[in-house]
Amino acid sequence: MNGKDVDLFDKSLALNADMEEELARKNRKTDTIIMKDEYDQVVGFVLNNELYGIDILDVEEIIKPVDYTYVPNTKPFVMGVINLRGKVIPVVDLRVRFGFVPNPINADSRVIIVAHNEYNVGFLVDKIEKVYYIEKKSIEPTPPNIPQNIEKYVKGVGKMPKKIITLLNIEEMLKEGGSLTPKTGSAMEVVNNG
Amino acid sequence: MAENMDDMQEIVQDFLVEADELLEELDEDLVRLENESEDEELLNKIFRAFHTIKGSASFLGFEKLTELTHKLEDVLNKLRKFELKLNSDMMDAILGGVDKAKEIIGLIKDGGDPESVDIEENVKQLVSFLDENYKPEEKSEDKAEGVMTEEELVELQEQEVMEEEAESEAEAGESEEEKPKSKDEIEEEIERLLKQRMEEDKEKRLKRKEKILSEMQKKQATESSEKKDDETKAKNVPEKKKKPVMAKKSKPIVEQTIRVDVQRLDDLMNLVGELVLGKNRLVSVAQKADEKFSGDEVVEELGEVANQITLVTTDLQMGVMKTRMVQIGKVFNKFPRVVRDISRELNKEVELIIEGAETELDKSVVEEINDPLVHIVRNAIDHGIEAPEDRVKLGKPSKGKIVLSAYHEGNYIVIEAADDGKGMDPEKLKEKALEKGLITETEARQMSKEEAFALIFKPGFSTAEKVTNISGRGVGMDVVKTNVEKLNGIIEIKSEIGKGTKVILKIPLTLAIIQALLVKVTKEYFAIPLVSVVETVRITKDDIDKVENKDVLRLRENIIPLVYLGDTLGVGKNRKTLDEKEIYVVVVAIAEKKIGLIVDELIGREEIVIKSLGNYLTNIKGISGATIMGDGSVTLILDVANVINEASIISANIEDHLIGGYKKEQPVALVASRELKAKNDLVSALEEKGYKVVYAHTDKEALDLASEHIADIVFIDLSIYINDGYNLAKSLRSMPAYKVTPFVAVSTDGTYDNEKLKESRFGKLLFAPLEKDEVYAAIEEVMSRNILVA
């Protein structure tokens, strides 16, 4: 392997204990260098007591819930819109989106602001865990035990030494849109698929 | 290489822009030329335009375009030298050529093959005028279209000679009549006269040419001498030189301009929009500070700064808006041509008068306004203006008149298209609509004159007996309506039978920053674009009338349908928010429709910047966008057109929303708390006291519940999400049903702000954990105090 081309993994970024443990183990055993591009960084969050992840490249920022404005004629999971430094951003209650019982906003609630392609949407989640490094080769396709209503939005499952994390397919979730009259929504789909 | 391609592309782009402008002007100039065919300056201008296009086209290798404009140039060259005299056939051929040129340029723009256009016919026509043998016939204007052959020309001349002979004979009087001639003799005579006439004609023509030439020389001579004179005078009286020129030509002096990419202007406008939002926020902060620390020096200074920023921002906004403004003349100038073509086709005589062409409006609006105007003018000529002979019979001048005018009125531009034609008969319109099944008989009977006129905007409605390629398909006016709706504009029609029709369009000046009326419905605020608001009225329950179980309001002579705004947006179900003694109605109008929207509260007028809701929330029914208020909250902007449409299918009545209409068997308590423990304690205590308890976990929920159930007592957890309990109490107090309802505050962490408690008129403060006796005592206390107040 050509040393110059390799972006060395920055250990200081490894925030989770799992990761550090694994690194230590690997270093002890084989002395190999761990490459950054072998790993995906995901923002881990809790929803209905389960761990989910969104690719960190899609996450713009994470905020505490702020006052939102209800928008009529939207799908039930659209809570409303918020003002994020002059930008109007829709917020989706992910619990409702996935068919869980809605949980009132509490001190742990957070909104993950996602920026993907031309979309800017906030997702209300129960709690933010932390940023995880998931080894790419440990990501497996969606196992059959994932509920059907969520399956469509799952990219795969990341296996970490101590737990697993369900990785979400943001694109799929965004392109459906939140309007009850998605006239232009279908056109958008065509564009995305093409 | 690639750079060369780019360069080339740029040159082509420049050419296209220039050609577009030239061709646009040409249309206008050519129509003007028809009436002022002797105007040398105009002829020269047109000649130059063709020449310019030809030059660039040949440089860029557009062969067909070069050939076409070359021929056009040749014809114009002859015209300006007065070797040819303009007639309407020639004009048709020239206009046809211009259209072809436009077509070619369109193709170049769209990346098509500019050489694929067939210009043979046009070139042939044009060349025929250049022919030495072409005889410009003054009378040919009466002839049908098309180019005359030599034979036809001779025939025509013969005819003329005969006519003239007849005239002279008649003039000569009896003497000639007394000596009848034989047939042969007559023919001989004709032959002789014809020859003579032709000779004469030739001579005449020669003479005329000489005359013109000498005149031209004279003119040039005088002009040059004038120039000399002027030059000598110029130093002393510089103004005098300009004046005669100005008087001759009403055209303004060429202004100094630069071309700017529209995208840049849009970006600039967006930035100004952000600035306006910032300014609104600054003003609101300054106000708050003033309320809190009134008299403080720093606060006063802040106020001053806020005022100054407001002034500068307003000026800046106006400035940027002005850079985006274009004169409506850009649209109006196309109409002489449109009117000419349509009236020729329909054999009607129409004079077009344009007023206020210098009125300015936003570029984006101009783009949308063209199509509706074409349809309106078309309609006016086809249906409005009568045939010349009918007009004479009616005692009107045979030439019909269409007046297109524009002027500013507040934040709108008003565009009027008036004709002096036959006007519209509301009864006939109703009949037609009935026939087509567009309305029912009862509807027809109740319809006012204005409503009947508005029928013409229904898709599929047409009074024309036959479908022509000008009108009759019943699409045109629908297009007008859709486009005007898109611009949040209003259409009014005034018509008088026999006198004419006037279509009035009121369009907002700009689409980016607008004035809006803020209203409140249930817990949400909405901004209604002020351009759509006709008026606001306060009514009571008794003012509401019923027509076929629908609520209406009699406002002066009009009957206006009434709906609760919440119902049209689908958020009104079970909401009891209206005080029957004070109901606020916002009368809105879009295109031809008018309706009264009932709201909970009128907040005020504000300048708002329209923001999109983004890609995720596209095409939301009833909402056209959002804006950010001074306090940082998001307010949705109503799509009035959609709301009006929605209103017609709503079955809910206003009574459903009256506070007085809430039926309860037992007293109701509203508990808003995020702490489960506190909530459970309160619920059990209240239920024991005989209350029906409704419970909310967040302030949003609490506001929803408060409008569904009219509570007799409210318990508020001060630390409730998302905003705190003080704000919740404030919001509740602004609802008519909760003006005097006793509020009890619950502090779960021991903290409280006495000032804020007073502000929202809390009757009692409790601390968690709550004891039952405490709660009982609190209820007792606030209830009795309330009775005292009452």
Side-chain angles (χ1 to χ4, degrees), chain B residues 91 161 221 288 353 638 773:
Chain B
M91 184 50 89
V161 175
K288 262 190 212 155
I353 297 167
L638 276 196
D773 292 338

Side-chain angles (χ1 to χ4, degrees), chain A residues 109-129:
Chain A
S109 304
R110 290 291 182 275
V111 177
I112 304 176
I113 308 289
V114 165
H116 184 86
N117 291 346
E118 298 288 294
Y119 291 100
N120 245 225
V121 178
F123 290 103
L124 178 74
V125 300
D126 292 355
K127 193 182 169 191
I128 293 288
E129 282 291 325

Side-chain angles (χ1 to χ4, degrees), chain B residues 19 75 128 144 185 270 318 333 340 365 376 379 385 420 485 487 510 526 534 592 615 634 663 684 688 732:
Chain B
V75 174
S128 71
E185 268 179 321
N270 283 340
M318 279 310 292
N333 285 345
R340 177 192 183 272
V365 181
I376 291 172
N379 245 35
I385 307 268
D420 66 345
E485 250 175 29
L487 295 168
T510 171
F526 292 97
V534 181
E592 83 292 2
N615 285 341
V634 180
K663 298 276 172 293
S684 59
E688 266 173 50
L732 282 173

